[in-house]
Amino acid sequence: MRKLPKISDSEWRVMRVLWSKSPLAAQDIFERLDATTKWKPKTVKTLIDRLVQKGAVKYEKVGRRYLYYPAVGRDECITTERHSFVRRVYGGITKPMLAEFLEDAELSAEDISELKEILEQKAEE
């Protein structure tokens, strides 16, 4: 697995916008975030610039506009973040994390069935 940049919580919001639709201009990203964040356009531009510097976002210039798009995949970032979380919080051991998540979760019969299938597949590997 390649080394991915560390993405802050605020930067994750920008990345989610770009993963859902891209390429986008900074103004388009701002408009998609405005209802939930109340950030100023300058704040969004700063976050975009940080993501470009980190290599998580790339851009192309079209006329006078810069269009931004993700340079890293969503699934890849989630996997990296999940591994980092398990290392930091659970010392790299997955079992206690899963047990705690399952104890706290409200699961339907269908959810439980799907989880059993996943565990059975893991047992066969």
Side-chain angles (χ1 to χ4, degrees):
M1 185 167 33
R2 70 181 171 135
K3 180 128 170 81
L4 296 175
K6 177 100 174 94
I7 299 172
S8 72
D9 291 345
S10 297
E11 292 165 346
W12 268 93
R13 289 178 172 219
V14 173
M15 291 302 295
R16 281 191 208 102
V17 168
L18 290 172
W19 284 320
S20 70
K21 181 175 172 52
S22 61
L24 290 172
Q27 180 63 30
D28 299 325
I29 297 168
F30 165 74
E31 288 170 3
R32 289 170 183 261
L33 290 169
D34 187 43
T36 58
T37 64
K38 301 298 181 197
W39 291 337
K40 304 275 187 237
K42 187 173 179 167
T43 301
V44 173
K45 184 66 173 114
T46 298
L47 292 169
I48 294 168
D49 289 343
R50 284 185 197 161
L51 288 164
V52 168
Q53 290 173 357
K54 291 178 179 185
V57 168
K58 292 189 177 189
Y59 64 89
E60 62 182 65
K61 188 171 182 185
V62 178
R64 295 177 56 197
R65 295 178 64 184
Y66 288 88
L67 299 178
Y68 299 93
Y69 58 93
V72 293
R74 179 185 173 278
D75 293 343
E76 210 176 2
C77 287
I78 288 172
T79 298
T80 298
E81 194 67 26
R82 182 176 61 243
H83 287 274
S84 173
F85 174 77
V86 171
R87 262 192 320 277
R88 279 190 334 269
V89 178
Y90 292 95
I93 303 168
T94 306
K95 182 183 166 192
M97 181 205 64
L98 287 173
E100 287 180 22
F101 272 88
L102 290 171
E103 285 175 9
D104 293 341
E106 291 183 24
L107 300 171
S108 68
E110 184 178 333
D111 293 335
I112 293 169
S113 178
E114 287 178 24
L115 288 169
K116 282 180 182 178
E117 284 181 37
I118 292 169
L119 289 172
E120 287 169 6
Q121 287 173 355
K122 276 294 199 189
E124 291 173 7
E125 290 177 1

